Amino acid sequence: MKQWRDPISITQTNRFFDMPEFRESRIGIRNASLMLGVTITELREAILSGSTIQGVMPPKPLFNAGQRKSEMMFKAGDIMDCAENIQAFKTKGEAE
């Protein structure tokens, strides 16, 4: 019978899953919108207009990439922090 390794021990030994390194990595607007639970259009419009997403200001993009400079790039850590703030805002709203 094949023995399976504990997934926690795999992530602890694999540098790919190192959280500080991931927080510093760059992600595109598509992955950022997935992490925030909004559409790409909602995220793009909130950034360009300076409005909030579900009560929270979205992070500013690091730079625009691609041939037409239309692909926004973000630091993963900034998106993670924004997602936590959205969750806290939702939780606070439900408690009231």
Side-chain angles (χ1 to χ4, degrees):
M1 178 173 231
K2 190 170 188 172
Q3 294 271 335
W4 296 100
R5 292 180 65 188
D6 180 21
I8 294 172
S9 64
I10 292 171
T11 58
Q12 289 172 342
T13 58
N14 190 344
R15 287 190 48 136
F16 179 74
F17 291 101
D18 190 20
M19 192 57 66
E21 283 187 23
F22 177 71
R23 289 187 65 84
E24 293 298 318
S25 66
R26 299 174 187 161
I27 60 172
I29 193 165
R30 181 178 185 279
N31 288 330
S33 68
L34 289 172
M35 289 175 71
L36 295 174
V38 297
T39 64
I40 294 171
T41 304
E42 287 175 308
L43 179 56
R44 187 181 306 267
E45 287 177 0
I47 291 167
L48 296 176
S49 68
S51 60
T52 61
I53 299 173
Q54 300 176 9
V56 177
M57 286 300 291
K60 301 278 186 223
L62 294 173
F63 59 90
N64 291 338
Q67 286 182 333
R68 295 180 291 152
K69 301 291 183 200
S70 61
E71 174 68 22
M72 296 178 185
M73 299 297 290
F74 302 88
K75 243 171 60 174
D78 293 346
I79 298 298
M80 292 168 66
D81 294 341
C82 184
E84 287 178 14
N85 292 339
I86 289 172
Q87 188 62 37
F89 186 80
K90 285 181 181 179
T91 304
K92 184 176 130 184
E94 291 172 359
E96 292 176 352

